[in-house]
Amino acid sequence: YGLCLAAGNVSINGEANSHEAATGAVIMSRCHGWWALGFLAMSLLAVGIVRLGIAPVWQFAGHAVAMAALVGVFILPMSDRPPVEGAAPARRFAVPGRAVLIIGAWSLAGILMEGTTRGWIVIYLRDSYGASDALAALGLPAVVLTQTVFRFAGDGMIARFGLAAVGRVSA
């Protein structure tokens, strides 16, 4: 699941970046907003599944079947864009510069914070505050809801205040 999540995220970023470069439109944050909206819907569904007491093995099996079906519907029909005329051939390997390494380290910190919050919020609410499993399970949709709202707002905020200012404030 982690590999699929990462591959999907890279694909979203690549497609959004290509669209932004081709059109000048800023859509990266909204693309992540749609992703977060799907995550929100599924985390709310998970709350219902927890409430029903469905065993994790059946949750994973059902998810795997649903994802396989969705790949057939949405992913397989996709095709690559033709290469841009006059573009330099893609390099197989490039040594990242200092700026890329700093951005990567910063991103890793954010990913670890986000992943820790998403991965442990339910357990934290249950164990630290005594919330029932079903109530604690609402912690994940609450976190994802805030991500969703601000991801949809991000492009407008960037257009109004600038990328650096939004990055600084959100960090």
Side-chain angles (χ1 to χ4, degrees):
Y1 288 126
L3 289 172
C4 292
L5 177 67
N9 195 30
V10 169
S11 298
I12 289 170
N13 292 342
E15 285 299 311
N17 183 265
S18 294
H19 181 79
E20 287 180 342
T23 66
V26 178
I27 64 162
M28 183 70 74
S29 188
R30 276 177 285 168
C31 285
H32 285 271
W34 285 106
W35 178 90
L37 192 61
F39 194 166
L40 176 61
M42 291 302 99
S43 65
L44 288 169
L45 178 64
V47 171
I49 290 170
V50 167
R51 182 82 173 126
L52 292 173
I54 297 172
V57 68
W58 296 114
Q59 293 177 39
F60 280 103
H63 184 253
V65 169
M67 292 307 295
L70 291 172
V71 164
V73 171
F74 292 108
I75 307 301
L76 294 178
M78 291 182 175
S79 62
D80 288 332
R81 287 194 177 104
V84 177
E85 288 185 36
R91 293 171 51 184
R92 290 187 178 261
F93 181 78
V95 177
R98 182 175 185 266
V100 171
L101 293 174
I102 291 170
I103 291 169
W106 185 257
S107 297
L108 178 61
I111 290 166
L112 290 173
M113 286 178 22
E114 178 183 345
T116 300
T117 303
R118 285 194 330 226
W120 292 98
I121 188 70
V122 174
I123 294 167
Y124 179 75
L125 292 172
R126 184 194 66 203
D127 292 354
S128 296
Y129 292 102
S132 68
D133 287 346
L135 181 60
L138 286 171
L140 180 60
V143 168
V144 176
L145 176 63
T146 61
Q147 287 181 320
T148 304
V149 168
F150 284 99
R151 285 176 174 175
F152 277 117
D155 293 330
M157 292 167 58
I158 289 168
R160 182 170 182 186
F161 302 111
L163 183 61
V166 172
R168 285 185 193 109
V169 170
S170 63

